[in-house]
Amino acid sequence: MEPMYTAEALSTGDGRSGHVRTSDDTISVDLAPPKEMGGSGNGNNPEQLFAAGYAACFHSALQLVAKSAKKDLGDSAVGAQVSIGKEGEGFGLSVVLEAVIPNLPEDEARELVEQAHQVCPYSRATRGNIEVELRVTNE
């Protein structure tokens, strides 16, 4: 791979109970474990940041494949749910991606979502490592 851009972030403090910021200071957030994991919930957590990044990246990939196929996505949206849980002796992640594509029949929308899943950098990076479920709706 020949890098076109490199993002840089620094975590300080106690990891999940610390602070993370990007080198350009456009993102600077306090982190806290969610209440469901015994934390205060008074901050963001890595799973939220991953969900935001994956949703945006996948939506961009979806728009790219739709444009290539000359399909109009209309007012589309992509949501990502990232779950963390115990897996073996450590922790694991799973993802549900839900694409809302109001302008296309479900079969055409599903085909585009499958194509986006093949080209999205996040999907490619996670393939074979974590479970990713794709959902498609027109509502």
Side-chain angles (χ1 to χ4, degrees), residues 19-43:
H19 187 85
V20 68
R21 69 173 179 81
T22 56
S23 58
D24 62 3
D25 286 323
T26 57
I27 297 174
S28 181
V29 295
D30 290 325
L31 299 175
K35 290 181 180 181
E36 296 85 348
M37 293 179 68
S40 69
N42 293 330

Side-chain angles (χ1 to χ4, degrees), residues 11 13-15 24 27 39 45 59 67 74 78 91 94 110 117 125 129:
S11 171
D14 189 20
D24 62 3
I27 297 174
N45 61 66
H59 199 192
K67 183 177 179 182
V78 172
F91 289 88
S94 66
R110 182 163 300 284
H117 193 45
N129 296 312

Side-chain angles (χ1 to χ4, degrees), residues 50 54 82 87 92-95 122 125-133:
F50 184 59
Y54 203 163
V82 174
E87 183 176 71
L93 298 174
S94 66
V95 175
Y122 277 60
T126 59
R127 187 168 289 116
N129 296 312
I130 65 173
E131 179 183 333
V132 177
E133 178 185 342

Side-chain angles (χ1 to χ4, degrees), residues 38-68:
S40 69
N42 293 330
N44 293 104
N45 61 66
E47 291 69 39
Q48 291 172 319
L49 300 172
F50 184 59
Y54 203 163
C57 189
F58 194 87
H59 199 192
S60 182
L62 181 60
Q63 291 170 342
L64 178 72
V65 298
K67 183 177 179 182
S68 177

